[in-house]
Amino acid sequence: QIQPINKMNNKHLIIFAGAFLGSLAVSIAAFYFYNQNIKTSPVNLEECKGLTFNGEDAQNIVFFSDKTNAQKYLDYLLTISPLSENINKFNAFYIDDYSPKCDIYKGIALLCYSKEILKKAASCPVDYIVVLEKESDFIRSSSYMNIMSINTAHPKVVIAHEFAHAFANLAEEYTPAKLQKGQKNCVKACSDFPPFKDGCYTGCSEESYIRSVEEGIMRTLSSE
């Protein structure tokens, strides 16, 4: 004789079936959402073209520029000491088929930082990013995080100035300027400088701070 399933077993069966169907629905929804994101989210990579390669341990600079200008600015940058004594510690690449979307920050400075440019730069090995773009000569170049936004209307020394911000965290030596955290070229007293200082000069981002070079590239673009 077939025994009927009791009410308690029926209740357990209904709870189990409901939990199973609920989990299945969540899994299907998650799978659909994931696949939709895979189709729509990634930024397509660009062709990475080489300028110079000195090994996998070297620092990587990626230019968003045509080859001629990228090479011109790279060559100039590597004439500046102490980079000129460490040329073999840098690799350089360029991407010329993508133009980053840049802004004019507060009406005074070129700023090309964005999540998209970070993803595009990943087309190459990358530590530092340089965007070359021509604007009016009163628009400043800038450095933010590891991205240097260079206004090519300025003298080429501007790339050394902005690279010093990005690479060595050097502060502005003109005044007034914001004194960033962790900088070491603006100090409170001459005795705070290491022995290789050139001198002591008042005014380094803030009037109460001191710089070691009278007219260096962190103070004026007329310096080399």
Side-chain angles (χ1 to χ4, degrees), residues 182-194:
Q183 62 78 33
K184 294 180 179 179
N185 56 313
C186 297
V187 300
K188 281 287 191 179
C190 291
S191 58
D192 295 332
F193 282 124

Side-chain angles (χ1 to χ4, degrees), residues 11-222:
K11 185 178 180 180
H12 287 167
L13 185 61
I14 290 169
I15 292 172
F16 174 80
F20 174 78
L21 291 174
S23 297
L24 183 62
V26 170
S27 297
I28 292 171
F31 179 79
Y32 176 79
F33 179 77
Y34 177 79
N35 276 276
Q36 286 299 105
N37 281 350
I38 287 295
K39 291 176 184 176
T40 59
S41 291
V43 174
N44 293 330
L45 296 181
E46 306 296 333
E47 183 181 0
C48 178
K49 301 173 183 177
L51 290 174
T52 182
F53 186 75
N54 289 298
E56 294 183 359
D57 294 332
Q59 296 288 297
N60 300 293
I61 305 172
V62 177
F63 289 85
F64 284 91
S65 166
D66 61 84
K67 182 178 181 179
T68 300
N69 278 313
Q71 188 71 63
K72 180 170 66 176
Y73 275 82
L74 174 68
D75 290 345
Y76 182 84
L77 179 64
L78 296 179
T79 67
I80 302 292
S81 181
L83 304 184
S84 56
E85 291 91 53
N86 293 277
I87 291 175
N88 62 349
K89 295 182 180 178
F90 293 94
N91 299 326
F93 309 90
Y94 70 100
I95 296 172
D96 61 0
D97 50 3
Y98 169 75
S99 297
K101 295 177 183 178
C102 300
D103 297 317
I104 304 300
Y105 179 70
K106 293 186 176 181
I108 61 170
L110 183 66
L111 180 63
C112 301
Y113 181 88
S114 69
K115 290 182 179 179
E116 183 176 32
I117 193 176
L118 292 173
K119 291 177 181 178
K120 291 289 189 179
S123 305
C124 303
V126 58
D127 295 299
Y128 301 96
I129 300 166
V130 179
V131 181
L132 300 179
E133 184 169 303
K134 188 169 185 177
E135 296 289 342
S136 300
D137 57 7
F138 65 85
I139 297 296
R140 298 179 185 176
S141 298
S142 74
S143 177
Y144 181 71
M145 305 295 282
N146 66 333
I147 297 181
M148 290 151 273
S149 307
I150 304 298
N151 181 0
T152 59
H154 298 159
K156 289 195 296 297
V157 69
V158 72
I159 193 172
H161 177 98
E162 302 303 344
F163 190 76
H165 283 312
F167 183 76
N169 194 34
L170 295 190
E172 308 288 13
E173 294 187 358
Y174 57 81
T175 58
K178 183 178 180 181
L179 193 65
Q180 71 250 30
K181 184 183 294 185
Q183 62 78 33
K184 294 180 179 179
N185 56 313
C186 297
V187 300
K188 281 287 191 179
C190 291
S191 58
D192 295 332
F193 282 124
F196 56 77
K197 72 180 187 300
D198 290 340
C200 282
Y201 305 91
T202 302
C204 192
S205 283
E206 298 180 7
E207 290 296 342
S208 60
Y209 278 75
I210 297 167
R211 64 189 188 277
S212 65
V213 180
E214 186 174 13
E215 297 291 335
I217 60 173
M218 301 314 293
R219 184 173 176 84
T220 173
L221 296 184
S222 64

